[in-house]
Amino acid sequence: MKVTNQYISIGRFAGTHGLKGELVLHHSLGKKTSLPGLTTLFIKDKTENFIPWFVETIQEKNQTEVYLKIEGCNTKEEARTLIQKEVWIGEDDFKKYASPTAAINLLGFTILENNKILGIVEEVIEQPHQVLCRITLQGKEVLIPLHEATLQKIDRNSNSIYVTLPEGLLDVYLS
């Protein structure tokens, strides 16, 4: 998931549901939720502008998905045009819905190795056995793996992640 301006990416539309334009939103909020009170979500257009979509209904599906009906999307065909689109919500809404222990909450944390700042987490990519944090180091995109072998500790008070990286990992990106 990513942070841009005041919006946070929470997932993607994974498919359609039914015949009346409902969508399946696959989210990374870390808990089962029906997103109570969410009225607006955002999708980027081709010019990278955030376009608001107004929520009509939301229903829990499972731990990571909800059924969602948005205004102006009334047929399965219209819904299909939104499949795989990234879904963004405002920062205040994100704070209401995300589980405190969800990996997505690491956005904006500082990653340090040997007390040296490597960068700020710009994106969190969840995988089955690890989490990857995208940072920018010396002007280059770097993916930092977080799993039992690399993660020393997460300090939520200082928004810091302490890691011990495999030798040569950063060289792969910086050479």
Side-chain angles (χ1 to χ4, degrees):
M1 303 311 98
K2 302 177 210 168
V3 177
T4 303
N5 300 332
Q6 68 271 20
Y7 303 109
I8 297 174
S9 169
I10 62 165
R12 294 186 180 276
F13 288 125
T16 62
H17 175 71
L19 301 173
K20 296 184 179 178
E22 281 187 304
L23 290 150
V24 177
L25 169 62
H26 182 82
H27 64 78
S28 297
L29 295 171
K31 65 180 180 180
K32 189 172 184 177
T33 180
S34 64
L35 304 169
L38 182 67
T39 58
T40 310
L41 53 85
F42 299 86
I43 300 173
K44 280 188 188 179
D45 67 7
K46 291 178 183 173
T47 60
E48 298 289 307
N49 290 316
F50 289 94
I51 307 300
W53 289 80
F54 301 102
V55 176
E56 289 183 2
T57 62
I58 302 175
Q59 178 186 352
E60 290 176 10
K61 178 181 178 194
N62 58 38
Q63 185 75 16
T64 59
E65 294 178 323
V66 295
Y67 297 121
L68 186 89
K69 174 79 172 78
I70 54 178
E71 199 174 281
C73 187
N74 298 309
T75 66
K76 189 172 190 167
E77 291 72 29
E78 289 172 330
R80 277 192 189 130
T81 65
L82 297 173
I83 292 175
Q84 291 305 312
K85 297 274 187 188
E86 200 166 7
V87 176
W88 303 72
I89 61 175
E91 223 175 302
D92 291 339
D93 284 332
F94 174 78
K95 289 175 185 171
K96 280 195 285 189
Y97 303 123
S99 167
T101 59
I104 195 171
N105 276 311
L106 298 176
L107 289 169
F109 275 50
T110 302
I111 295 184
L112 299 101
E113 182 179 38
N114 299 323
N115 290 321
K116 178 185 171 205
I117 294 175
L118 297 179
I120 305 295
V121 177
E122 299 168 10
E123 180 178 7
V124 176
I125 304 162
E126 292 186 73
Q127 296 185 322
H129 300 291
Q130 70 181 353
V131 170
L132 295 174
C133 294
R134 183 176 58 83
I135 64 170
T136 301
L137 180 62
Q138 297 177 11
K140 297 191 178 179
E141 181 179 287
V142 175
L143 297 176
I144 304 294
L146 298 183
H147 52 76
E148 61 186 38
T150 60
L151 181 63
Q152 289 180 342
K153 80 173 182 177
I154 297 174
D155 183 345
R156 295 192 184 278
N157 293 328
S158 66
N159 288 348
S160 300
I161 303 168
Y162 296 88
V163 297
T164 302
L165 299 177
E167 192 172 319
L169 176 70
L170 296 179
D171 296 336
V172 171
Y173 292 102
L174 301 177
S175 46

